[in-house]
């Protein structure tokens, strides 16, 4: 369990993190999202005791990380996957971490096996691909078999197989009752992996909610309709108060469909049946996490191109 | 953890019974693992920092380079000093210092060991492993002290062997070239050898303190070059009193007096000079300790 109360970090004039309050609960994977520069990494570093908050508190398991007798047994973290000394082997990197917490040597072998690096563990870590370094970083996070995991961009540099692996790993960790906090920019992956979302923008909390509620909060309730009698049917829909446009310009759609808002799919179907209109498609459009995220964080994007801003 | 992990852990625990693990060279096997009710201690940090320092590639290079600098420079200096001594005036012969001649390598060795001390921490900043190091041990004071102790454990024997090797090689070359030489039993010889070893250890800790405060490897290396070699070399060309003052009190210059036999009245005596260096290192390490504890990682 991670609890963050009034957490604030100021760098000179800039409030990198501004009065954040949220918690990461056991048994769930919590996605920690926000545009670049939103203060995600700073927040994670404060939770881990690496940076001191200007004000506020962050606790893991009810107390600051530094007050745990065996820190690696309280929280495991992956903050920067490329952080390995290139001449040192993965084995010795992990062995030093394990030794510093008095963990037995066997834990090193166990986590190396868990992340699939056993065969290359004696090689200098500098020869590793980014994906292998991510796995090594995960191994370090798992060393103490901790009830809390903090993973910053754990999917970076992983191939599709690696992404599926880490998704399953995080789901398993949550199923075992651990609290998992992960940040990522890959919205489609987050959508598949997490239970809850904590969204920040410009250092402030934007949302702290379940995944479904988050998407529903911005869902536009659009329904896509395809029919050979598009023009007359559009007129009928408009007559009962629905807003109608064509799908032209929606991605690579051919533009033959109608996008209806303000009328549920069932009502549209009933109207079609009553007026004898032939329907080829009647589909409520799912808002993706990506769309919802873009919508909610539009005002808090720190770096944007002029065209986007206009 | 998963069923699979639990299983593999169980099999690992069985292993030593069938096949007792060979004690590894350099591992502190006696440290008990932190059990369920355990607590990570300073001794655990010592063991971790020992693993880190001995698996850093530069460590072996530095130790070898330091020993070679000690014995190699002593041999070269000794053989050329023999010829020079033959051509010297009587006044110059009075100032000839066979002890310092054999321990000239200390000048280079203080730099190599200072670089090792610096790298012990700047390698962590350069590679960003400092993040995982401090996540595992959030008590930062413990990390600094453990690094200093482990560094000392490597620098002290290396320093002692460097001065002893330099002394023995240098004096035997001086003897065979017909110049004056000293034996280990002569006055001041052990002071120079053991004190020189301690001085080199102080140089290593100085490097660590500089590395902690500077963090960048490049800037630390530059600073240490300037501190140990460039400033002492340029000091005579500084204006007036500054030149005298720097030559006498600049810590690496003052500390280096520990390996001299001839007494220059303008310079500090061996132990007072050594004390200046020691005091400087204590102050810098304290400053580094306080900085490291307070600063964001």
């Amino acid at each position: 369990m991670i609890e963050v109360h009034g957490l604030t970090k100021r760098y000179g004039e800039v409030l990198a993190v501004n009065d954040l309050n949220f918690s990461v609960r056991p048994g769930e994977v919590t996605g920690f999202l926000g545009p670049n520069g939103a203060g995600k990494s700073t927040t994670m570093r404060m939770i881990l005791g690496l940076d001191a908050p200007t004000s506020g508190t962050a606790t893991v398991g009810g107390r600051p990380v530094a007050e745990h007798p065996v820190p690696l047994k309280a929280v495991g973290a992956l903050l920067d996957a490329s952080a390995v000394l290139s001449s040192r082997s993965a084995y010795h990197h992990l062995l030093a971490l394990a030794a510093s917490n008095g963990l037995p040597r066997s834990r090193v072998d166990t986590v190396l096996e868990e992340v699939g690096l056993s065969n290359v563990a004696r090689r200098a870590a500098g020869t590793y691909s980014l994906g292998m370094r991510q796995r090594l970083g995960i191994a370090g996070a798992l060393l103490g078999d901790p009830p809390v995991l903090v993973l910053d961009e754990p999917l970076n540099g992983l191939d599709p197989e690696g992404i599926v692996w880490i998704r399953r790993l995080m789901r398993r960790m949550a199923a075992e009752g651990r609290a998992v906090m992960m940040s990522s920019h890959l919205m489609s992956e987050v959508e598949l992996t997490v239970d809850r979302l904590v969204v920040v923008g410009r250092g402030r909390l934007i949302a702290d909610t379940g995944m479904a509620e988050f998407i529903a909060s911005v869902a536009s309730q659009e329904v896509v309709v395809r029919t050979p009698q598009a023009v007359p049917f559009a007129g009928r829909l408009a007559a009962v108060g629905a807003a109608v446009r064509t799908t032209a310009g929606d991605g690579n759609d051919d533009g033959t469909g109608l996008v209806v808002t303000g009328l549920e799919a069932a009502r549209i179907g009933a109207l079609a049946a009553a007026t004898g209109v032939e329907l080829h498609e009647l589909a409520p459009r799912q808002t993706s996490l990506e769309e919802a995220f873009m919508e909610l964080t539009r005002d808090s994007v720190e770096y944007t191109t002029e065209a986007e801003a206009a | 953890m998963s069923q699979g992990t639990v299983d593999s852990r169980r099999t690992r625990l069985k292993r030593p019974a069938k096949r007792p693990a060979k004690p590894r060279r350099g591992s502190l096997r006696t440290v008990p693992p932190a059990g369920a009710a355990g607590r990570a201690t300073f001794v655990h940090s010592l063991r971790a920092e020992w693993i880190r320092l001995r698996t850093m590639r530069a460590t072996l290079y530095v130790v070898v380079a330091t020993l070679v600098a000690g014995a190699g420079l002593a041999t070269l200096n000794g053989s050329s000093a023999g010829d020079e001594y033959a051509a010297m005036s009587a006044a110059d012969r009075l100032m000839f210092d066979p002890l310092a001649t054999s321990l000239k390598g200390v000048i280079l060795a203080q730099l190599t060991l200072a670089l090792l001390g610096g790298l012990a921490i700047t390698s962590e900043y350069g590679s960003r492993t400092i993040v995982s190091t401090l996540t595992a041990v959030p008590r930062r004071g413990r990390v600094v002290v453990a690094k200093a102790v482990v560094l000392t454990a490597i620098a002290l024997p290396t320093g002692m062997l460097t001065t002893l090797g330099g002394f023995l090689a240098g004096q035997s070359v001086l003897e065979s070239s017909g110049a004056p030489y000293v034996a280990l039993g002569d006055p001041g010889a052990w002071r120079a050898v053991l004190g020189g070893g301690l001085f080199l250890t102080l140089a290593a800790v100085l490097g660590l303190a500089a590395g902690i405060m500077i963090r960048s490897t490049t800037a630390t290396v530059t600073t240490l070059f300037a501190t140990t070699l460039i400033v002492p070399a340029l000091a005579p060309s500084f204006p007036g009193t500054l030149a005298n003052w720097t030559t006498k009190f600049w810590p690496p210059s003052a500390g280096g007096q520990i390996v001299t036999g001839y007494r220059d009245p303008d310079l500090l005596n061996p132990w007072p000079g050594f004390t200046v260096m020691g005091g400087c290192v204590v102050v810098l390490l304290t400053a580094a300790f306080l900085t490291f504890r307070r600063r964001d990682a």
Side-chain angles (χ1 to χ4, degrees):
Chain A
M1 174 97 162
I2 299 172
E3 285 168 299
V4 168
H5 291 295
L7 198 65
T8 301
K9 180 73 176 181
R10 177 186 287 278
Y11 295 108
E13 289 295 294
V14 183
L15 268 176
V17 175
N18 187 357
D19 193 25
L20 276 190
N21 293 284
F22 65 87
S23 53
V24 175
R25 298 188 294 221
E28 291 180 339
V29 179
T30 300
F32 190 44
L33 309 182
N36 288 334
K40 299 190 297 294
S41 291
T42 307
T43 302
M44 285 178 152
R45 291 170 60 86
M46 287 192 284
I47 290 170
L48 295 168
L50 292 166
D51 290 2
T54 306
S55 62
T57 57
T59 57
V60 174
R63 43 181 158 170
V65 169
E67 287 172 21
H68 285 277
V70 186
L72 287 181
K73 285 189 176 177
V75 57
L78 165 72
L79 280 199
D80 182 354
S82 57
V84 283
L85 189 62
S86 52
S87 63
R88 189 177 288 144
S89 70
Y91 178 79
H92 283 113
H93 173 76
L94 294 174
L95 188 63
L97 286 176
S100 72
N101 275 235
L103 304 174
R105 199 176 277 263
S106 58
R107 282 301 298 160
V108 174
D109 299 319
T110 305
V111 295
L112 279 167
E113 216 161 287
E114 172 107 353
V115 303
L117 288 180
S118 296
N119 294 335
V120 293
R122 296 284 178 165
R123 255 167 59 185
T127 64
Y128 285 14
S129 67
L130 182 53
M132 290 160 83
R133 288 173 191 218
Q134 284 287 11
R135 287 169 181 263
L136 176 55
I138 299 282
L142 299 178
L143 259 183
D145 200 6
V148 177
L149 287 169
V150 175
L151 311 172
D152 195 6
E153 299 283 350
L155 306 169
N156 266 6
L158 288 174
D159 56 15
E161 189 252 323
I163 288 177
V164 171
W165 167 73
I166 202 160
R167 184 199 302 154
R168 287 192 182 142
L169 179 79
M170 285 191 286
R171 292 306 326 162
R172 203 183 77 216
M173 293 287 147
E176 288 167 10
R178 297 172 214 258
V180 183
M181 178 183 192
M182 69 156 315
S183 73
S184 178
H185 284 116
L186 297 175
M187 292 302 152
S188 50
E189 268 313 311
V190 172
E191 198 167 357
L192 287 169
T193 311
V194 315
D195 306 293
R196 281 189 76 77
L197 286 174
V198 172
V199 184
V200 291
R202 290 188 194 262
R204 299 193 70 95
L205 190 68
I206 293 179
D208 175 3
T209 167
M211 171 70 77
E213 295 94 304
F214 181 77
I215 292 175
S217 70
V218 289
S220 56
Q221 323 261 299
E222 288 179 339
V223 181
V224 174
V225 177
R226 274 179 224 279
T227 163
Q229 297 120 285
V231 177
F233 190 53
R236 293 230 171 75
L237 286 166
V240 296
V244 184
R245 61 180 175 86
T246 69
T247 55
D250 288 9
N252 49 14
D253 196 282
D254 61 3
T256 59
L258 301 173
V259 181
V260 185
T261 33
L263 210 58
E264 283 168 40
R267 298 271 316 277
I268 298 170
L271 186 66
T275 54
V277 168
E278 175 185 347
L279 287 187
H280 292 177
E281 181 180 345
L282 177 62
R285 184 177 270 182
Q286 296 292 319
T287 306
S288 70
L289 174 63
E290 186 159 10
E291 285 162 334
F293 175 80
M294 302 276 266
E295 179 67 30
L296 268 181
T297 59
R298 186 177 294 155
D299 299 331
S300 50
V301 174
E302 191 102 330
Y303 311 104
T304 184
T305 60
E306 288 207 14
E308 281 175 76
Chain B
M1 282 258 160
S2 74
Q3 197 59 43
T5 317
V6 171
D7 284 344
S8 62
R9 200 187 307 164
R10 210 170 281 145
T11 44
R12 300 257 173 228
L13 283 176
K14 274 188 212 148
R15 245 160 132 209
K18 293 185 211 151
R19 180 168 66 102
K22 251 188 288 170
R24 243 167 236 281
R25 191 168 54 85
S27 75
L28 307 174
R29 276 255 165 198
T30 48
V31 180
R39 171 171 283 279
T41 65
F42 176 66
V43 180
H44 294 127
S45 278
L46 274 185
R47 181 160 185 254
E49 294 307 332
W50 169 246
I51 294 167
R52 290 199 174 102
L53 198 58
R54 87 181 152 82
T55 57
M56 197 170 78
R57 196 176 285 162
T59 306
L60 180 63
Y61 297 163
V62 164
V63 169
V64 170
T66 307
L67 293 172
V68 168
L73 283 180
T75 310
L76 292 174
N77 272 310
S79 68
S80 70
D83 302 337
E84 286 161 21
Y85 184 79
M88 273 180 190
S89 67
D92 282 345
R93 284 189 176 191
L94 279 178
M95 286 162 60
F96 183 72
D97 187 346
L99 196 53
T101 303
S102 70
L103 292 174
K104 279 269 166 60
V106 164
I107 293 172
L108 254 185
Q110 63 168 333
L111 175 63
T112 53
L113 283 173
L115 291 180
L116 178 65
L119 277 175
I121 183 73
T122 63
S123 68
E124 293 234 33
Y125 281 110
S127 63
R128 301 299 304 144
T129 53
I130 191 73
V131 167
S132 52
T133 298
L134 292 182
T135 307
V137 184
R139 288 164 190 263
R140 305 207 182 161
R142 186 184 286 177
V143 174
V144 172
V145 176
K147 279 192 190 295
V149 169
V150 167
L151 177 68
T152 302
I154 288 186
L156 188 62
T158 306
M160 292 293 178
L161 281 176
T162 302
T163 49
L164 184 64
F167 181 89
L168 296 177
Q171 299 309 328
S172 79
V173 176
L174 281 174
E175 181 184 8
S176 62
S177 68
Y181 66 96
V182 289
L184 267 179
D186 290 342
W190 277 115
R191 179 260 298 158
V193 168
L194 297 181
L198 287 175
F199 169 71
L200 291 178
T201 310
L202 284 177
V205 179
L206 173 89
L208 177 67
I212 290 171
M213 288 188 279
I214 299 171
R215 288 189 274 187
S216 142
T217 300
T218 321
T220 302
V221 169
T222 313
T223 306
L224 291 175
F225 254 100
T227 313
T228 58
L229 296 186
I230 299 177
V231 171
L234 291 184
S237 61
F238 290 168
T241 25
L242 186 60
N244 295 338
W245 193 90
T246 311
T247 311
K248 191 171 182 179
F249 293 110
W250 183 252
S253 308
Q257 294 305 310
I258 197 74
V259 299
T260 57
Y262 172 75
R263 294 270 51 80
D264 184 334
D266 292 337
L267 300 176
L268 289 176
N269 281 337
W271 287 112
F274 182 87
T275 309
V276 168
M277 175 71 174
C280 161
V281 169
V282 168
V283 168
L284 285 178
L285 190 62
T286 308
F289 179 86
L290 296 175
T291 312
F292 189 72
R293 274 213 314 193
R294 231 194 2 246
R295 191 172 54 196
D296 284 349

